[in-house]
Amino acid sequence: RIFVLGIGFFTLCFLMTSLGGQFSAKRLGDSPFTIRTEVMGALESRGVLRRMSDMLEMLMKRMDILARLENGTDFHKGDEARFPLDRFQPAAGLMERIQAIAQNVSDIAIKVDQILRNSLLNGKVVEGRRDQCEVPRDPKYPDCAGKVEWMRARWTSDPCYAFFGVDGTECSFLIYLSEVEWFCPPLPWRNRTAALPSPPPLPRVQAAFRSDLAHLLELIGTGKESLSFMKKRIRHLAQQWLRAARHLKQKLKGRQRDQKYILIHIGFLTEESGDVFSPRVLKGGPLGEMVQWADILAALFLLGHSLRVTVSLKELQSHLGVPPGRGNCPLTNPLPFDLIYTDYHGLQQMKQHMGLSFKTYRCRVRVIDTFGTEPAYNHEEYATLRGYRTNWGYWNLQPTQFMTMFPHTPDNSFMGFVSEELNKTERQHIKSHKASSMAVVYGKEASIWKGKEKFLAILNKYMEIHGTVYYETQRPPEVPAFVKNHGLLPQHEFQQLLRKAKLFIGFGFPYEGPAPLEAIANGCVFLQARFNPPHSSLNHEFFRGKPTSREASAAGGGRVSSQHPYAEDFIGKPHVWTVDYNNSEEFEAAIKTIMRTQVDPYLPYEYTCEGMLERIHAYIQHQDFCTTSSSHLPPKAKSPAMQSPPSLLALSPNATHLVWSPSASRDPHAWPPVDSLQVWVSETRHACTETCRRHGLVCEPTFFRFLNKKEVFLQLSIPCDSTEYEMNHLYPAVAENVHECYLQKEPLLFSCAGYNTKYRRLCPCRDYRKGQVALCRDCL
């Protein structure tokens, strides 16, 4: 009996404690989304009180049964001598107390019930609105009903919906879809204060050229070999960067430049993308991407912009303001960055975690894209229909938002990198200390040397061969015995090796890295193989899946015709020799000629620190993908009554091409300036890239909008029996045999790349600054 009484008392105390916890959960002044939770908590409290009352009554009944057993039987009489009756007298008093508590609990339960009823009555209007919300039928919001239906079925699929207050009720769906997203109209009963006129924006902070790179090194951070490599490179080139910044500052003559708030997210270095580069930095892995990122960081910083650098997904989410969950909801606040520089890995991560905000802010993104993305691969619908879909394309960005390592196609923006520039003393020292019979092989991995014994044997007849192949101490390098292998060298030691060598020779891979430019800048001749047939995604595994056909390379529509097309096309002899390695006689003759040829160190201006600073400055000041111009868009329908605006072009004096009409007005904010435009007609086997190059010009895709008119065909004396608008990356063009003319229906497909033997294309060309193909003469 004592045990039963003890358990009963303990249970009473426990229940009273629980009751106190239930009542303490109620908070006043919370958001409407907490009302339902509070009511449920109160209802649970009322249930607890009832259960307490029931348990106390059951406890009293059992004690009453024990008392009757004690008084009505002889069961305990034999124990009276050992257990006097006065020992149980307190039990009667305890029972009276329990009865009193039970009565009090019963009274409390009644009072709580009354309070809850009053609370529910007071909240009836709000709760009624929540329970009685109906999906509005507003033609301005045609997707509202469908989105509500989706929310009913899937709102628990991502915790971010609950983060924004969705709780499964119809009203919470509508509040979310009208206030967080924008698919439904605002609910009239929501307390939303009238929007006050926004104050005028504060004047932008002006960017000032920086004269110290120390803070940038802190921003880059630590913890990865790749980051250490990038910081070493920035330190090594610091004086050249600072000197270039001073020159550009003088050139701009105090021109006002708004400081941009820029996020740099290097996606391929995040753990989520695998970060395959960092572990290979010290083992001969590819360094081209990290070279480029280091130079981008240095340029943006020296130009005076405010930077944030991330190499982790967690940091990216924090900087963007991503709500907790799986990435289906918009950002919690407006994006604080004017620009975001990232790569394909980072682009995928941003899309996955920004929800609908990605579509809103993707115009601010700049994608560092080593090999380029041509418009045919970028347009998702077109790529899917025409077989251009790859693992990396289909983003529907403006093609110039992709920034490449080399100027593969003007459809993308040429970002580039820098090579070390020599002063006069260093150049003279190199010329007097060159070893005419010394060659360095391009390739840090032993696999590059396999199958090249024939070339190496010929080369060994004339030159001492040096290599920089990585190998571990216990494993000798897999290169011929006559090769002097230095192992993997630090950058400055590799530069010293190149300054002694006469020849830098490539065996076909890696493609388009920075090393050949470094070799040429240090006075080497670069010898490379000609690919026959040219390499592309159609015949070579390396290019398969990349969003480019590389139809913009030098062979007129050809694909990658050599290991380094830029060196072949933009530099050429005597610095660059491209030969058929399958022809031993041609290969050997080239080596003999190179040994007799004297060359000075040469570095294209666009790969100097000042050249890269110029480009990035011009892009930041003039490229704006967040505002669209109606002049980009063709007519949406073909109607005889529809009249195109008059052409802004005029026939050149020699009647070979079109130029900007002297009488046409000019938009002072247009970039590049429209008076640099020339319109030429391609041959059937030439892309616009090649067509413009043949006239000493560069294809300019932003000018396609001026060509996309029927009147332009007439001005060029091209007869058109019919004119159609279609989606095709080769348009505007004419099929001459049948006199059919075609105009571009989708502006994202305007492309300098591509050709078809059926068409002659209309090509927009412009001039360019000497040594700076990315900028026209008046583009800085």
Side-chain angles (χ1 to χ4, degrees):
R1 285 182 293 180
I2 294 175
F3 175 76
V4 172
L5 289 172
I7 291 296
F9 187 73
F10 175 78
T11 302
L12 175 64
C13 295
F14 173 76
L15 290 172
M16 291 298 290
T17 304
S18 299
L19 179 63
Q22 292 285 342
F23 281 120
S24 65
K26 175 68 178 171
R27 300 186 307 275
L28 297 177
D30 283 348
S31 71
F33 288 116
T34 63
I35 294 174
R36 188 175 182 88
T37 303
E38 290 163 1
V39 171
M40 290 302 296
L43 291 172
E44 290 171 1
S45 300
R46 181 166 57 185
V48 169
L49 287 169
R50 287 176 175 171
R51 288 194 295 273
M52 281 179 60
S53 179
D54 293 341
M55 291 180 69
L56 287 169
E57 289 180 9
M58 185 179 295
L59 182 61
M60 291 189 326
K61 288 177 181 178
R62 290 181 178 178
M63 290 181 68
D64 186 55
I65 292 171
L66 286 173
R68 287 200 301 270
L69 285 172
E70 182 178 13
N71 295 329
T73 68
D74 295 330
F75 182 75
H76 295 286
K77 287 184 178 178
D79 293 330
E80 289 178 359
R82 287 181 293 148
F83 298 98
L85 289 176
D86 59 359
R87 292 275 306 274
F88 294 95
Q89 293 302 318
L94 179 59
M95 190 168 176
E96 291 176 359
R97 294 189 185 97
I98 292 175
Q99 279 183 312
I101 292 172
Q103 183 61 44
N104 290 335
V105 168
S106 180
D107 295 340
I108 291 172
I110 293 171
K111 290 179 180 179
V112 167
D113 188 68
Q114 293 173 346
I115 293 171
L116 289 175
R117 289 178 184 277
N118 291 333
S119 176
L120 289 172
L121 287 173
N122 292 334
K124 185 175 180 180
V125 176
V126 174
E127 189 65 26
R129 284 174 178 167
R130 296 173 56 77
D131 291 339
Q132 297 174 12
C133 282
E134 294 182 359
V135 178
R137 306 295 177 184
D138 189 333
K140 296 179 182 178
Y141 300 88
D143 298 322
C144 184
K147 290 294 181 179
V148 171
E149 189 66 29
W150 188 95
M151 291 290 286
R152 287 195 196 107
R154 302 291 302 279
W155 76 273
T156 58
S157 63
D158 193 324
C160 71
Y161 296 117
F163 172 82
F164 281 110
V166 177
D167 62 1
T169 61
E170 204 82 352
C171 287
S172 70
F173 298 154
L174 291 171
I175 292 170
Y176 174 84
L177 291 170
S178 62
E179 297 179 14
V180 180
E181 296 183 7
W182 49 88
F183 294 105
C184 295
L187 298 176
W189 53 267
R190 290 283 290 171
N191 291 328
R192 296 175 61 83
T193 57
L196 298 175
S198 55
L202 297 173
R204 294 295 296 259
V205 175
Q206 292 300 298
F209 284 94
R210 293 189 173 98
S211 57
D212 186 1
L213 287 162
H215 181 55
L216 173 62
L217 300 177
E218 295 176 8
L219 287 174
I220 293 174
T222 59
K224 292 177 179 285
E225 287 294 342
S226 49
L227 298 180
S228 298
F229 171 85
M230 292 161 64
K231 291 164 74 170
K232 287 178 183 177
R233 176 175 175 82
I234 292 171
R235 290 192 194 98
H236 180 69
L237 294 173
Q239 293 307 311
Q240 293 195 28
W241 277 118
L242 294 172
R243 185 165 56 250
R246 290 194 295 269
H247 289 171
L248 183 58
K249 181 179 180 181
Q250 295 171 0
K251 193 180 296 185
L252 295 179
K253 299 177 180 178
R255 191 180 308 170
Q256 294 292 300
R257 299 180 300 117
D258 288 345
Q259 185 185 64
K260 305 292 184 181
Y261 193 32
I262 301 175
L263 175 65
I264 295 124
H265 177 61
I266 310 177
F268 75 88
L269 293 183
T270 61
E271 298 301 327
E272 289 77 12
S273 69
D275 189 14
V276 296
F277 286 89
S278 293
R280 301 176 63 192
V281 168
L282 302 179
K283 296 183 179 181
L287 301 177
E289 286 86 352
M290 282 171 278
V291 164
Q292 187 180 33
W293 275 108
D295 296 345
I296 291 170
L297 285 163
L300 291 172
F301 184 79
L302 286 174
L303 286 169
H305 300 292
S306 178
L307 309 184
R308 291 293 180 271
V309 184
T310 69
V311 291
S312 79
L313 184 57
K314 185 176 181 180
E315 288 178 323
L316 174 68
Q317 292 173 321
S318 174
H319 285 304
L320 294 178
V322 173
R326 299 188 178 94
N328 290 305
C329 299
L331 302 182
T332 55
N333 294 298
L335 186 71
F337 300 102
D338 300 302
L339 294 169
I340 299 177
Y341 286 81
T342 189
D343 52 27
Y344 262 125
H345 294 282
L347 193 63
Q348 183 65 50
Q349 291 167 351
M350 289 169 57
K351 181 179 181 181
Q352 182 179 354
H353 293 278
M354 290 176 67
L356 291 172
S357 295
F358 178 77
K359 187 174 182 180
T360 302
Y361 295 119
R362 65 183 178 179
C363 61
R364 304 187 190 183
V365 173
R366 307 293 183 267
V367 184
I368 307 304
D369 177 11
T370 304
F371 291 96
T373 299
E374 293 173 4
Y377 296 80
N378 169 62
H379 191 281
E380 184 175 16
E381 180 186 356
Y382 184 78
T384 303
L385 291 174
R386 300 294 186 93
Y388 291 102
R389 183 74 180 248
T390 68
N391 293 333
W392 299 104
Y394 65 82
W395 285 93
N396 291 325
L397 300 178
Q398 293 292 334
T400 39
Q401 287 180 256
F402 297 99
M403 298 187 147
T404 58
M405 185 173 281
F406 293 96
H408 307 304
T409 168
D411 294 323
N412 303 146
S413 298
F414 165 44
M415 171 61 75
F417 58 93
V418 304
S419 287
E420 189 169 356
E421 197 172 4
L422 306 178
N423 58 39
K424 291 182 179 179
T425 302
E426 291 169 327
R427 293 167 66 91
Q428 189 60 41
H429 182 269
I430 287 174
K431 290 178 67 175
S432 59
H433 289 80
K434 274 289 179 186
S436 60
S437 60
M438 177 178 172
V440 176
V441 174
Y442 181 18
K444 296 173 291 185
E445 296 183 357
S447 60
I448 295 172
W449 296 64
K450 292 181 180 179
K452 308 302 188 297
E453 293 80 8
K454 181 179 178 181
F455 313 130
L456 289 169
I458 296 173
L459 182 60
N460 189 46
K461 290 166 53 178
Y462 302 94
M463 291 188 168
E464 181 182 87
I465 304 175
H466 293 250
T468 58
V469 181
Y470 168 80
Y471 66 95
E472 297 178 358
T473 305
Q474 64 274 22
R475 297 182 61 189
E478 299 176 12
V479 297
F482 53 76
V483 174
K484 184 178 181 181
N485 185 38
H486 300 261
L488 195 63
L489 294 177
Q491 186 67 14
H492 68 281
E493 293 184 26
F494 180 62
Q495 295 277 354
Q496 294 301 319
L497 186 66
L498 292 176
R499 292 181 181 186
K500 296 177 185 177
K502 175 72 173 181
L503 177 68
F504 189 63
I505 181 170
F507 286 137
F509 191 83
Y511 296 104
E512 302 177 304
L517 290 189
E518 294 175 349
I520 295 166
N522 282 288
C524 293
V525 173
F526 177 51
L527 177 63
Q528 63 172 345
R530 179 182 296 113
F531 297 151
N532 188 20
H535 291 180
S536 75
S537 58
L538 301 177
N539 63 11
H540 201 277
E541 185 63 31
F542 179 83
F543 291 100
R544 192 160 291 124
K546 292 181 170 58
T548 172
S549 62
R550 297 305 301 275
E551 292 173 337
S553 81
R559 289 147 274 184
V560 179
S561 56
S562 64
Q563 182 175 354
H564 207 290
Y566 175 85
E568 179 185 4
D569 301 341
F570 289 86
I571 302 177
K573 292 180 179 180
H575 302 280
V576 180
W577 289 64
T578 305
V579 302
D580 183 1
Y581 278 24
N582 293 320
N583 186 329
S584 299
E585 293 180 358
E586 183 181 355
F587 179 76
E588 189 168 358
I591 293 172
K592 291 179 181 178
T593 306
I594 289 169
M595 291 180 69
R596 298 191 302 266
T597 304
Q598 296 296 321
V599 296
D600 292 332
Y602 172 72
L603 179 62
Y605 176 73
E606 56 200 358
Y607 283 97
T608 65
C609 292
E610 187 172 347
M612 187 168 184
L613 281 173
E614 273 189 7
R615 276 196 309 282
I616 296 184
H617 156 73
Y619 291 153
I620 290 177
Q621 291 301 116
H622 299 292
Q623 285 186 335
D624 180 6
F625 304 111
C626 296
T627 58
T628 57
S629 172
S630 59
S631 59
H632 284 67
L633 301 174
K636 294 184 179 297
K638 299 177 290 294
S639 169
M642 181 177 293
Q643 296 295 325
S644 299
S647 173
L648 302 173
L649 306 173
L651 201 61
S652 64
N654 58 6
T656 57
H657 61 283
L658 300 180
V659 296
W660 190 261
S661 175
S663 61
S665 60
R666 302 174 187 178
D667 181 358
H669 302 292
W671 193 84
V674 291
D675 53 3
S676 65
L677 168 64
Q678 296 184 27
V679 182
W680 292 84
V681 183
S682 77
E683 299 298 326
T684 55
R685 293 184 177 273
H686 289 166
C688 283
T689 307
E690 176 65 10
T691 299
C692 294
R693 187 179 298 159
R694 284 172 175 260
H695 297 288
L697 304 168
V698 174
C699 183
E700 178 51 62
T702 60
F703 287 156
F704 267 113
R705 65 186 188 271
F706 301 119
L707 282 60
N708 202 41
K709 300 175 182 179
K710 182 177 179 179
E711 290 76 14
V712 175
F713 290 109
L714 299 177
Q715 287 180 291
L716 290 166
S717 300
I718 298 174
C720 298
D721 292 342
S722 64
T723 305
E724 301 289 338
Y725 279 98
E726 292 183 12
M727 279 202 315
N728 192 308
H729 69 287
L730 303 179
Y731 295 167
V734 56
E736 282 194 318
N737 294 339
V738 291
H739 294 177
E740 292 176 350
C741 297
Y742 298 94
L743 298 176
Q744 182 59 259
K745 183 180 181 181
E746 173 50 70
L748 285 182
L749 287 174
F750 283 137
S751 177
C752 292
Y755 74 95
N756 187 303
T757 55
K758 177 182 177 181
Y759 301 117
R760 296 184 69 195
R761 302 188 56 190
L762 300 189
C763 298
C765 308
R766 62 161 170 83
D767 57 34
Y768 60 93
R769 303 179 72 227
K770 184 179 180 180
Q772 185 74 288
V773 69
L775 303 179
C776 68
R777 291 171 187 165
D778 298 323
C779 279
L780 186 59

